[in-house]
Amino acid sequence: MSDDRKPMTPSEARAYEAPIRRQMWAGLAVGATVIVLLIILVMEARYRGALTEPRSSEAMDRALQAVVTEMSPLPEPVYRVHVRTRGLRDDEPVYEVRLYGPQGDTLYQLARSAETMMLIPYGPREGSAINFDVELALSEQGEVRGRYLQDRGLDVESYQAVLNSLVRQTLMAFHAHTGFPMQMYEGVEPDRAEIRQGWESVID
């Protein structure tokens, strides 16, 4: 019916309903677009969030297992290894490795300037440090289970190579530190004459 309560012809009814139908379809299209955009934004946020979260990797576990096995037996039981990058936004970032005992106490730590190990050699982050945040759990049998932060600015082979090298160097230094503790060099400074005499006896 029309507004004046008179019956409409089919063509008049279609003309009357056309704007209403257009508004309805436009509203549905806008609503569907908003829903799709929200889904995309949520998925993108979850994807980016996953990139900043350390994740497990059997391949990296196997590679580090070989390093730990090569350096075993360790001087003291190590239950956890933490590899991280300190000063990532500073001029002199550092790669740091900490070894933890069964009570969570620090057994040993080693820090290396990122420049002396490896910086990212290409791309928009060329010259910056690799972003490490790696947690390794070692069982009593020496089995390695880790969680690894991805750094998509570097290929995985180079990331793995630097990580393996850092862990190997730290375990080697841990062996050396335990066998030759720095405390043995502490004490009273020897007489200068004794130092000179010692050198003269071994140098031609």
Side-chain angles (χ1 to χ4, degrees):
M1 284 192 152
S2 62
D3 292 339
D4 57 5
R5 303 293 181 176
K6 292 181 179 179
M8 291 185 181
T9 63
S11 60
E12 288 175 335
R14 287 193 294 272
Y16 178 77
E17 295 173 355
I20 299 173
R21 292 180 183 277
R22 282 196 296 270
Q23 291 176 4
M24 181 184 69
W25 285 111
L28 288 173
V30 170
T33 302
V34 169
I35 291 172
V36 170
L37 288 175
L38 285 174
I39 291 172
I40 292 173
L41 289 173
V42 169
M43 292 178 64
E44 176 73 10
R46 292 181 63 181
Y47 172 75
R48 291 186 178 277
L51 294 180
T52 62
E53 291 288 333
R55 300 172 64 183
S56 58
S57 168
E58 290 186 5
M60 291 192 178
D61 285 350
R62 286 194 299 271
L64 284 166
Q65 180 71 68
V67 173
V68 172
T69 301
E70 174 190 344
M71 301 304 300
S72 295
L74 298 175
E76 296 181 53
V78 175
Y79 282 73
R80 190 163 63 91
V81 179
H82 187 199
V83 184
R84 66 172 182 147
T85 303
R86 287 195 289 109
L88 192 61
R89 294 175 178 81
D90 298 339
D91 293 334
E92 297 182 3
V94 170
Y95 301 142
E96 179 186 79
V97 185
R98 285 179 180 261
L99 309 179
Y100 294 92
Q103 305 302 321
D105 50 320
T106 300
L107 300 175
Y108 188 74
Q109 70 179 67
L110 179 72
R112 286 286 307 272
S113 169
E115 292 184 357
T116 66
M117 291 291 295
M118 181 181 181
L119 300 174
I120 295 178
Y122 45 69
R125 288 176 53 205
E126 180 178 357
S128 63
I130 305 167
N131 192 5
F132 285 113
D133 187 1
V134 177
E135 286 277 357
L136 305 176
L138 277 62
S139 70
E140 292 183 359
Q141 292 74 34
E143 295 177 349
V144 176
R145 293 291 181 271
R147 292 178 60 80
Y148 308 86
L149 178 67
Q150 303 173 60
D151 189 333
R152 295 298 182 94
L154 184 70
D155 62 280
V156 67
E157 291 81 8
S158 298
Y159 179 98
Q160 180 75 71
V162 176
L163 177 60
N164 288 358
S165 180
L166 283 168
V167 174
R168 180 180 289 106
Q169 289 180 28
T170 303
L171 294 180
M172 290 175 64
F174 183 42
H175 274 286
H177 171 78
T178 305
F180 302 96
M182 293 303 294
Q183 286 80 353
M184 69 182 293
Y185 300 109
E186 296 178 357
V188 180
E189 180 182 359
D191 183 74
R192 292 291 176 181
E194 293 180 10
I195 294 176
R196 184 168 55 254
Q197 181 180 358
W199 277 107
E200 288 176 351
S201 67
V202 298
I203 298 296
D204 294 335

